[in-house]
Amino acid sequence: MRLVAATALAAATVLLAPAWAQTQAQTQTQAPARTTAAAPPSVPAPGATAATAPDPLRAACGEIPDAEHLTLERVIASTLDNHPRVRRAELAAEAARARTTAARGAFDPTLGADGRQMLAGTYRDREGLVSVDSQTPWAGLRVGAQYRYHAGDIPDYYGYRETGSAGELMARAELPLLEGRRTDPARTALAIANQHAEVAELELLFEQLDVARQAALAWWSWKMALEILVIRADLLAIADERVDMVGAQVASGAMAPIEDVEARRTRLQRQSLLVEALRDVDLTAAELSFWLRSTDGARRSPDPCDRPDWPDASRTHHQLTQLLRAGGADGLSRPDIARLEPLREVARAREALAVNRILPVLDVRGWAASQLGTDLPRPDRVDAGVGLRFALPLGNRAARGERDAASAEADRITFEQRLLIDAMERDLEIAIARLNRALERLTLVSDEVATLRTLEAAERIAWQSGESTLFVVNLRELATAEARELEVRALRDVFQSAIDLRATRGDAPETWANPLAPNTERGDGLTPGYGVPTRQPEQQPEQQPEPPQ
């Protein structure tokens, strides 16, 4: 429905053009006829060019408050809040955090209970115990405690089972000295889960960066298409006015019939150009609707009536200069590069676990038990002891293979990070070069527009005095319109290049509302990004601050 409304609104500009032309015709003065050639008695004034014509979209939509305009800030906010790609990354980060919680469960204490009762036989006794055991994340230490109660007759060789009349309380601990001291499966799983959670958060940031960039580029293309539509609608309005005027003059015999044919040909040509502009508006609106989302995540087509004002080209030069001044690669920071660091830590953690499995097992353990109650089975109330366990794995081909594979993976990630850094620095240089050339092109095209407007006005005066033809005037008008379109495209290229530069540097999308706006806190024309800096700049000696200029 939105696309149909956009097309209908743009088509309405065609219907509004004759009415506007009639209004303009009423304000024109008739020129005196020359004896050598019949000059048109009524022509648009030199100042009434397509550049100063009223905006037909504004006339069709009425006055729209600035707060309701579809600004770049609103588009980026809608994309970041509601786009499915961002939501998908958010759920992936949430799942990664949940797996971290699950990995911490390996260190949760375990409560156990056991009991038995002899029902037949010479010795009938009963025994029950309750224990709490836990593995800690500190050097593989395992601790536990238990309460045990025993009653009844037992053989002498089972005397250690007897407890005091109120039971027995025991504490125990076991500490690995070789295998399991630096790491173990539980600690490795927790470390890997933490790193994967950090990777998921950085991937979320990268998704936000990428969708915001795509949305911003689509918004500028849509805005450019609407601006070109307005330019071509202005041209068509002038052609409609001229067809009516020239037709009346031909009917009265003041002009040759060929002039009426030329006026109608010009109108057909400009109608065709307007149809092309309508097509571009439909295409860019469809592209923007993929990124512009409603609160439920559904696609939302932009409304042409929400078109914000086109920026002034002359006011972007200084801001662009500040942006280019800060275009170095020292502050390069991108989430897609930063995510490789935790992935490398994952490989290192797996390598450490494989090395741990190669070590022999050497665990020391100790315990202490205290008899409770008055009736003690042994003279000493407190018992204590220590133990040692040793095991030597043979071969260990599985562990050695896992160690070598994890080491190679860590080295691979290092080279991948270096490659991505080089690619980002290359992209940064390309973005800076594009901005430089876009600025030069914008300056030249702006000067060309000013020159062509002067020529167009002069040609109108010459036609009014009978020294030119309608065909030449049409050529001047088309040249001015083409130059205006080039200026619009050049300005679009400037802002899109600035967005590419910000995205390449990793600046937060929330700062892209005005991609040329400088950041006074950093003083470098850019806003801080997010992610881990991939290369630290070299330390420079401190210098005395320069006096303010």
Side-chain angles (χ1 to χ4, degrees), residues 72 76 209-210 212-225 284 287-288 291 310-311 316 320 323-324 427-428 430-439 441-442 487-505 512-516 526:
L72 180 58
I76 291 178
L209 190 71
D210 188 59
R213 173 182 173 273
Q214 298 291 343
L217 296 180
W219 180 82
W220 275 108
S221 296
W222 171 74
K223 189 175 179 180
M224 177 201 69
T284 54
E287 175 63 22
L288 180 57
W291 307 105
W310 189 252
T316 64
L320 182 59
L323 185 64
L324 290 173
D427 294 342
L428 186 63
I430 292 175
I432 294 174
R434 284 177 176 172
L435 265 177
N436 272 314
R437 301 312 170 209
L439 176 60
R441 181 167 177 261
L442 177 61
E487 184 181 33
V488 169
R489 296 179 189 277
L491 191 59
R492 186 276 312 263
D493 292 342
V494 167
F495 280 95
Q496 286 190 340
S497 299
I499 288 172
D500 281 336
L501 176 57
R502 287 189 176 277
T504 303
R505 289 176 59 95
W512 295 0
N514 183 0
L516 301 182
L526 290 176

Side-chain angles (χ1 to χ4, degrees), residues 148-479:
R148 187 171 63 90
Y149 176 80
H150 180 271
D153 297 332
I154 58 174
D156 294 340
Y157 46 82
Y158 284 152
Y160 63 89
R161 292 183 175 176
E162 293 182 326
T163 65
S165 58
E168 176 189 75
L169 188 63
M170 175 184 291
R172 55 179 176 266
E174 185 173 0
L175 179 66
L177 301 180
L178 294 178
E179 181 189 8
R181 183 171 181 84
R182 296 186 60 183
T183 187
D184 53 52
R187 282 180 284 170
T188 300
L190 178 58
I192 291 177
N194 287 329
Q195 298 298 334
H196 280 165
E198 184 177 353
V199 169
E201 293 291 342
L202 291 171
E203 289 177 347
L204 170 60
L205 294 179
F206 180 72
E207 284 292 332
Q208 292 175 339
L209 190 71
D210 188 59
V211 299
R213 173 182 173 273
Q214 298 291 343
L217 296 180
W219 180 82
W220 275 108
S221 296
W222 171 74
K223 189 175 179 180
M224 177 201 69
L226 287 176
E227 196 68 20
I228 291 177
L229 175 65
V230 171
I231 294 174
R232 295 184 179 180
D234 293 341
L235 279 178
L236 182 58
I238 296 175
D240 285 331
E241 172 197 0
R242 193 163 288 145
V243 165
D244 296 337
M245 179 196 67
V246 173
Q249 297 301 316
V250 170
S252 64
M255 297 182 64
I258 191 63
E259 295 289 347
D260 183 57
V261 175
E262 172 63 22
R264 296 182 182 277
R265 183 202 67 81
T266 301
R267 182 170 65 177
L268 290 174
Q269 180 188 37
R270 297 182 183 183
Q271 286 175 344
S272 176
L273 292 176
L274 185 65
V275 171
E276 291 182 0
L278 287 171
R279 178 203 61 189
D280 293 340
V281 169
D282 292 340
L283 295 179
T284 54
E287 175 63 22
L288 180 57
S289 68
F290 181 78
W291 307 105
L292 184 62
R293 298 284 171 158
S294 58
T295 54
D296 60 352
R299 290 175 55 196
R300 183 163 68 90
S301 296
D303 190 342
C305 289
D306 295 337
R307 173 178 64 100
D309 294 331
W310 189 252
D312 186 2
S314 62
R315 301 180 61 183
T316 64
H317 292 192
H318 175 66
Q319 293 176 328
L320 182 59
T321 302
Q322 290 180 312
L323 185 64
L324 290 173
R325 189 178 300 145
D330 290 341
L332 189 63
S333 176
R334 284 284 295 267
D336 55 335
I337 298 179
R339 64 183 287 272
L340 294 178
E341 189 62 33
L343 288 178
R344 182 165 50 198
E345 293 301 320
V346 168
R348 295 301 186 195
R350 289 173 176 166
E351 180 183 7
L353 180 62
V355 171
N356 173 76
R357 292 176 54 189
I358 299 175
L359 298 175
V361 176
L362 182 60
D363 298 344
V364 59
R365 61 183 183 274
W367 67 92
S370 177
Q371 306 297 327
L372 305 179
T374 56
D375 187 9
L376 304 179
R378 292 176 293 278
D380 295 330
R381 179 179 294 271
V382 177
D383 297 329
V386 295
L388 194 65
R389 183 166 65 95
F390 176 80
L392 180 63
L394 302 178
N396 267 329
R397 286 181 293 181
R400 296 179 188 276
E402 293 175 1
R403 176 199 61 188
D404 297 340
S407 177
E409 175 67 13
D411 294 339
R412 183 197 67 81
I413 293 176
T414 299
F415 281 97
E416 181 180 357
Q417 187 181 49
R418 180 183 303 173
L419 181 63
L420 284 179
I421 291 174
D422 292 341
M424 291 301 102
E425 292 177 348
R426 175 206 61 194
D427 294 342
L428 186 63
E429 294 175 0
I430 292 175
I432 294 174
R434 284 177 176 172
L435 265 177
N436 272 314
R437 301 312 170 209
L439 176 60
E440 294 177 4
R441 181 167 177 261
L442 177 61
T443 302
L444 294 175
V445 172
S446 299
D447 294 341
E448 182 184 4
V449 169
T451 302
L452 288 174
R453 283 174 176 168
T454 303
L455 289 175
E456 178 185 344
E459 201 67 48
R460 286 174 181 271
I461 296 175
W463 178 55
Q464 183 179 3
S465 60
E467 298 177 357
S468 181
T469 63
L470 182 58
F471 178 75
V472 178
V473 173
N474 291 334
L475 291 181
R476 295 296 188 192
E477 291 172 350
L478 286 176

Side-chain angles (χ1 to χ4, degrees), residues 131-143:
S131 63
V132 177
D133 294 280
S134 177
Q135 180 178 355
T136 69
W138 302 290
L141 177 65
R142 294 180 291 273
V143 296

Side-chain angles (χ1 to χ4, degrees), residues 513-543:
N514 183 0
L516 301 182
N519 177 27
T520 56
E521 294 182 1
R522 281 178 50 173
D524 59 1
L526 290 176
T527 49
Y530 45 51
V532 179
T534 53
R535 282 188 180 174
Q536 296 295 335
E538 297 181 0
Q539 296 294 332
Q540 300 293 337
E542 296 184 359
Q543 299 180 357

Side-chain angles (χ1 to χ4, degrees), residues 543-548:
Q543 299 180 357
Q544 295 296 329
E546 298 180 358

